[in-house]
Amino acid sequence: MPSSTLPLRGIAVFEAASRLGSFRLAAAELNLTPSAVSHQIRLLEQVLGVKLFRRAGRGVSLSDDGAEYARAVRQAFRTLRHATDDMSRRGSAGRLRDIVSIQTPPSLASRWLLPRLPRFLAKYPGIDIRVNAETGRRSKFGDADLMIVYGDSARWAPQAAPFLSERIQPLCAASLLKDGRINTPADLARQVLIKTRDNALTWEEWFRQRGVDQSRVKARAIQLDPSHVAIEAAVKGLGVILESDILTVEEIATGKLVGPFPETASTLSSYWLAPLPAKSERDAVSTVRRWLKRETAT
């Protein structure tokens, strides 16, 4: 269908009718008559060659084709509303606000970044922040203005700057320590061990560093992702996690999680900020970069 013949009026009427489930309510919202709504729907059905609604008495319901089309139309309308909001949110001088997008691992977003954002928004009212913490996607430069990535120096050092170091140690609910069965690192080999994908330090490595014979490790292991899910499981007493102080600062401070062997904590440079600064970097991106670095000290 040529773009010049895209039936925008009929699509707008269909969006309202499918969302409200009523031609009458759609007519009231759009300031049209019910017959005008019905006419636009009929024209759209003729263009598409499918029936969008089932008509029963005075009521209507979406057909299977109509339901599928409604999902696509609603997504398109959300995109249009999003773009319209961006264009309408202008500063006092009539200038479009700067938008800086940040991609970050989900657990770091919820436990480190988001609690700090109110301070940024109060200090820099002319910059809007977009945080993408999607799971299951591989980090790729260019997806966002700034990316906080997780891994070791072998992977990130050539193209990213060190951002956050973490101390990783076993942590568990205090209730697991009450029976006196955890007295040495080897005792953890008989506990339920909670694993998290992509952690900088694995349980196997931790036991090896403590000199625990791997053949004697009979622990049951479960894997929970992302990290904040594993942390919540440990708080509930499900098992022992090998986790970062960055992500568990609140739980440790409140006593919800305790470290049976704090002397075994390993410090690793695990979070990196990418890409590296560039001369062509927008002022807003440079501002956010500097703010993020300052926040690592708090």
Side-chain angles (χ1 to χ4, degrees), residues 112-157:
W112 187 87
L113 180 58
L114 295 185
R116 289 166 165 78
L117 278 183
R119 292 201 294 267
F120 177 88
L121 298 175
K123 188 172 183 179
Y124 302 102
I127 301 177
D128 284 349
I129 297 294
R130 299 281 167 79
V131 177
N132 179 359
E134 290 181 79
T135 59
R137 63 177 294 174
R138 182 179 295 275
S139 297
K140 180 173 131 182
F141 292 163
D143 286 352
D145 295 309
L146 293 170
M147 296 173 59
I148 301 173
V149 293
Y150 188 79
D152 58 23
S153 58
R155 180 178 183 186
W156 296 115

Side-chain angles (χ1 to χ4, degrees), residues 159-204:
Q159 49 195 333
F163 183 61
L164 281 170
S165 294
E166 59 181 354
R167 295 181 75 249
I168 298 179
Q169 63 175 309
L171 295 166
C172 64
S175 59
L176 292 185
L177 304 181
K178 289 181 178 179
D179 60 10
R181 289 188 296 175
I182 301 178
N183 298 299
T184 69
D187 291 335
L188 292 182
R190 293 185 292 274
Q191 300 298 315
V192 175
L193 302 181
I194 301 175
K195 299 182 177 183
T196 303
R197 183 184 62 244
D198 297 332
N199 259 15
L201 184 66
T202 66
W203 276 112
E204 290 76 17

Side-chain angles (χ1 to χ4, degrees), residues 6-19 29-30 44 69-85:
L6 191 65
L8 295 177
R9 179 175 296 180
I11 293 173
V13 170
F14 170 75
E15 189 278 334
S18 64
R19 172 168 43 83
E29 180 178 286
L30 299 173
L44 183 60
Y69 189 52
R71 286 191 291 270
V73 168
R74 287 169 191 164
Q75 179 59 49
F77 269 65
R78 281 193 293 269
T79 300
L80 285 171
R81 292 188 183 102
H82 188 73
T84 301
D85 288 343

